[in-house]
Amino acid sequence: NAGVTQTPKFRVLKTGQSMTLLCAQDMNHEYMYWYRQDPGMGLRLIHYSVGEGTTAKGEVPDGYNVSRLKKQNFLLGLESAAPSQTSVYFCASSYSGANVLTFGAGSRLTVL
Amino acid sequence: RKEVEQDPGPFNVPEGATVAFNCTYSNSASQSFFWYRQDCRKEPKLLMSVYSSGNEDGRFTAQLNRACQYISLLIRDSKLSDSATYLCVVGYNNNDMRFGAGTRLTVKP
């Protein structure tokens, strides 16, 4: 049972490049989330989804887009990367809202 | 002001010590409360949920004080393996979970 899997684990981008982070879960969870974690800031919610085909903005959505075409997958896109988006990104899923979260191992992104 | 605040530490304690962490939250409509543990360069993992009446799981005890808007975590008989960062998490509607920045604990032999 893989749980939540994120790819890639590491990536270095140049300013202005685009990329997509993939999150996959095999627990049949309805809710999926993308967070970023920066030193001294705690995890901050970027976007989330309450089910297939639905997405919503979180606390820090600017510069990111998401899609949930299949229940098990939640994609996070950066259209034009900026150095301020250098961070560790965590995907999480849960059976229901405001409930126990299961996290992926994280994706470390550096934007030069 | 951050919605969820924790003392960042670090807390350095000897093995066998008892250590307590506090966390305050600003939104009185908060509905769910958790403590997560995060090891260095790893993902957060649920340590325990926090219930209104307080709850215990082995050496770990969590308390909630809604009137004062804080939650606490008590670790008794600290082990080396307890060294980690402890994250306070507060949920205040079905889709929003706010994280504290974490409190770092180091247990030394």
Side-chain angles (χ1 to χ4, degrees), chain A residues 52-71:
Chain A
E52 181 179 319
T54 70
T55 63
K57 294 180 180 180
E59 191 182 353
V60 288
D62 294 342
Y64 305 95
N65 57 74
V66 288
S67 64
R68 182 106 181 263
L69 298 179
K70 293 183 179 180
K71 186 177 182 179

Side-chain angles (χ1 to χ4, degrees), chain A residues 16-72:
Chain A
Q17 286 184 317
S18 64
M19 77 158 296
T20 300
L21 297 176
L22 172 63
C23 177
Q25 53 96 3
D26 61 4
M27 297 172 287
N28 202 35
H29 284 171
E30 289 291 339
Y31 290 69
M32 296 187 75
Y33 309 81
W34 275 108
Y35 288 89
R36 59 177 290 172
Q37 185 174 34
D38 302 292
M41 299 290 290
L43 279 82
R44 291 180 292 167
L45 182 64
I46 303 171
H47 286 280
Y48 64 95
S49 168
V50 301
E52 181 179 319
T54 70
T55 63
K57 294 180 180 180
E59 191 182 353
V60 288
D62 294 342
Y64 305 95
N65 57 74
V66 288
S67 64
R68 182 106 181 263
L69 298 179
K70 293 183 179 180
K71 186 177 182 179
Q72 63 267 36

